[in-house]
Amino acid sequence: MINGIIGKKLGMTQVYSASGKVEPVTVLEVGPCTVTQVKTLENDGYVAAQLGFGTAKRLAKAEKGHTKDTGEFRHLREFRLEDVSGVEVGNKVDASLFSDGELIDVTGISKGHGFAGGVKRHGFHGGPKTHGQSDRHRAPGSIGSTTTPGRVYKGTRMAGHMGHDQVTVRCLKVVKADTEKNLLLVRGAVPGGKNGLIIVKKSKKSS
């Protein structure tokens, strides 16, 4: 059985729970996805199902030939499975894969922040704001040491590229699964910006 699906993040909103509390939720559009390839242990060395999502504007001939029987998709992703019995090319996967109250894991690409300083990237406190530090109060300060070790250790936290990393948020609760519109209302935040590609899987961890 397929345990995941491809989708995109639409944004955040609020809904009322059954108890009357306000729930902050992220709206995810999941599917419909089409199985474009089934990989078996005998032929490929591992068991997986490849899903296609979204409509592509332009594809290379090799990409068109790969999915000639199922359609032209913008995104293709593989999902490792324990068993592919019952999974065939052309099968559809949609929001009916999930149910209300279920726990899921969501993987996405976090928002990029470009080149960020130590205060923004690592939460450094900076230096004193007075005593002549007119332009040094957000500087990282000294990074080296004395004769021993006489160098800067690898992995020292400094300014650099921040964000645009693959991030997985685990054990998010599905507040509501709308199978007609293929929408999931998930409690909490999901990595990435609006219309960002996400992968949703059933959580292996219990609450």
Side-chain angles (χ1 to χ4, degrees), residues 55 91 140:
T55 304
N91 287 3

Side-chain angles (χ1 to χ4, degrees), residues 60-132:
K61 283 187 177 181
E63 294 172 317
K64 288 181 179 180
H66 177 63
T67 60
K68 63 181 178 181
D69 297 327
T70 53
E72 298 181 0
F73 301 101
R74 185 177 181 183
H75 305 286
L76 296 175
R77 294 293 186 274
E78 276 190 6
F79 293 84
R80 292 290 185 104
L81 306 175
E82 295 181 358
D83 184 20
V84 289
S85 59
V87 180
E88 298 179 357
V89 173
N91 287 3
K92 300 291 184 180
V93 184
D94 53 26
S96 61
L97 185 66
F98 306 97
S99 58
D100 295 356
E102 189 174 3
L103 296 180
I104 59 173
D105 298 338
V106 181
T107 302
I109 303 297
S110 63
K111 289 183 178 180
H113 295 265
F115 189 94
V119 173
K120 184 178 181 68
R121 191 182 187 202
H122 301 294
F124 288 175
H125 288 215
K129 308 297 186 293
T130 56
H131 296 284

Side-chain angles (χ1 to χ4, degrees), residues 123-184:
F124 288 175
H125 288 215
K129 308 297 186 293
T130 56
H131 296 284
Q133 293 216 80
S134 60
D135 61 346
R136 304 297 300 159
H137 53 274
R138 290 176 71 92
S142 174
I143 61 171
S145 188
T146 52
T147 305
T148 303
R151 62 188 176 89
V152 177
Y153 287 115
K154 287 184 178 181
T156 300
R157 295 181 298 167
M158 290 188 281
H161 183 270
M162 179 182 177
H164 199 70
D165 295 318
Q166 179 173 298
V167 179
T168 300
V169 181
R170 302 191 185 277
C171 295
L172 293 176
K173 181 182 177 182
V174 177
V175 177
K176 182 175 177 58
D178 191 336
T179 56
E180 293 183 0
K181 298 181 180 179
N182 282 319
L183 297 179
L184 292 182

